[in-house]
Amino acid sequence: METHHAVRSEPAGVEIGLNAAIVAVVDDEPVALVIRNDGEAVDGLPFGPFSPVAHRTLESGLRAWVEEQTGLGLGYVEQLYTFGDRGRHAEPDDPSLHVVSIGYLALTERGHARDLEHGTWRSWYQYFPWEDWRKGKPEILTSEIEPRLREWAVKPALRSAPVRPVPREDRIRICFGLDGGAWDEEKVLDRFELLYEAGLVEEARRDEREAASLWTGLPRFGLPMRFDHRRILATAIGRVRAKIKYRPVIFELMPDDFTLFELQKTVEAILGPHLHKQNFRRLVESAGLVEPTGEVKTQTGGRPAKLFRFRREVLLERPAPGVRVKPARS
């Protein structure tokens, strides 16, 4: 029987990088840990190369790099995705190694989030302002993003544009909830990718995408990040928004004892929209996710509030114990 073997047409020139999207909620704001090297003007996620000699596993390498760069020891970590598109790091004619990055999501409690040696906690809504629905639909969607997406949807396709099976109008409706579509808070990466393809975000201009050259006078749609780190962060936000609905990972962001209002504000910070207080409390208590500690918190600005803790027995009682909220949209 004839066999065929894949043959490399060029010498190997790939380096494995490790990127960490580290998320916390501080003062009711979802934050990501970002760093800047000397001379850089944009934020980046903690990252470093994987060493098969120094690192026993990919995850141990990630933990080592994060601790070295920020002083933060990671708790909950899960692998996100592998990012390896040509041109991620190298410029044209750049002889350096091509970098394939493995992205990770890490969650940390707000008390640990304050103890940093290097780096800065920055609200993830500074990078994705259109994702923050806590006070209703963001103005940037109505006044800036939606009109330009509609304009882009009817433009002739560029020769350099990727071929998509779904028309632009339908993709915009699916991702941004226009024309009768529903806003899905989990589609963070899809929305960013669409803005990038339309040439509306700074990274598209920096990468010299043809679509970006056709716009003039664009406002800044969120803070850019180095390389494709904003794409990695978008992937992490979408993952944690989805995961809190079927796994109790929200409690990785909480202290041992908390009030139900503090838990609600944390869930709101992650998902984006405001939640109905009584409905949220009934949902959490009926799901058996928490149990009272018997103590109260008096520094609430009002009446003392009961303290609760995560009820770990729920992990043994059913396979998908998450906060199954269904946000209402304004």
Side-chain angles (χ1 to χ4, degrees), residues 74-322:
L74 296 181
Y76 178 91
V77 171
E78 68 171 84
Q79 194 174 123
L80 276 175
Y81 192 73
T82 300
F83 301 83
D85 293 353
R86 182 167 57 86
R88 291 185 63 250
H89 287 211
E91 299 295 330
D93 302 320
D94 188 344
S96 60
L97 293 176
H98 176 63
V99 180
V100 174
S101 282
I102 301 175
Y104 284 82
L105 166 67
L107 305 178
T108 189
E109 188 265 319
R110 64 190 181 199
H112 299 152
R114 301 180 192 277
D115 301 327
L116 282 182
E117 295 177 9
H118 305 285
T120 302
W121 293 102
R122 198 182 297 278
S123 170
W124 71 31
Y125 293 129
Q126 292 189 38
Y127 307 104
F128 307 96
W130 54 87
E131 297 289 342
D132 187 0
W133 287 66
R134 288 174 294 179
K135 296 181 180 179
K137 184 175 180 178
E139 172 62 23
I140 192 174
L141 281 171
T142 304
S143 63
E144 302 288 355
I145 292 177
E146 292 175 359
R148 288 180 171 86
L149 285 176
R150 292 185 189 278
E151 181 181 345
W152 172 71
V154 297
K155 287 182 176 181
L158 300 172
R159 294 178 60 183
S160 60
V163 177
R164 306 290 189 187
V166 180
R168 289 178 179 178
E169 295 90 339
D170 291 342
R171 293 170 59 211
I172 293 170
R173 179 178 58 82
I174 292 169
C175 291
F176 285 87
L178 300 185
D179 302 325
W183 179 274
D184 183 347
E185 63 273 358
E186 297 175 23
K187 294 187 181 298
V188 186
L189 178 61
D190 303 79
R191 285 186 281 272
F192 180 75
E193 294 282 22
L194 197 60
L195 293 172
Y196 181 91
E197 184 181 333
L200 293 174
V201 291
E202 176 66 19
E203 285 87 340
R205 186 201 61 77
R206 185 185 66 199
D207 295 346
E208 299 182 352
R209 299 303 180 189
E210 188 178 2
S213 67
L214 303 180
W215 297 102
T216 59
L218 283 179
R220 175 170 280 186
F221 294 126
L223 296 178
M225 300 184 80
R226 67 181 311 196
F227 304 140
D228 58 355
H229 289 197
R230 192 153 50 145
R231 183 174 283 111
I232 297 173
L233 181 56
T235 307
I237 296 171
R239 173 72 63 86
V240 74
R241 282 181 167 183
K243 198 145 192 174
I244 65 173
K245 299 173 186 176
Y246 64 92
R247 288 288 184 271
V249 294
I250 192 67
F251 298 101
E252 300 288 343
L253 302 169
M254 303 298 298
D256 292 338
D257 300 337
F258 49 83
T259 68
L260 291 184
F261 184 66
E262 289 170 338
L263 179 61
Q264 177 183 338
K265 298 298 284 185
T266 300
V267 174
E268 288 177 343
I270 295 294
L271 289 182
H274 174 70
L275 303 172
H276 187 276
K277 181 177 179 180
Q278 295 304 322
N279 289 347
F280 177 82
R281 294 189 174 210
R282 280 195 295 268
L283 183 151
V284 170
E285 292 180 312
S286 64
L289 295 172
V290 299
E291 59 187 4
T293 66
E295 304 293 329
V296 296
K297 185 173 184 177
T298 56
Q299 296 150 350
T300 62
R303 293 186 302 173
K306 292 181 180 179
L307 284 169
F308 291 80
R309 57 176 166 249
F310 172 49
R311 183 174 165 272
R312 298 194 174 275
E313 291 80 4
V314 75
L315 296 170
L316 304 175
E317 295 170 355
R318 62 181 190 274

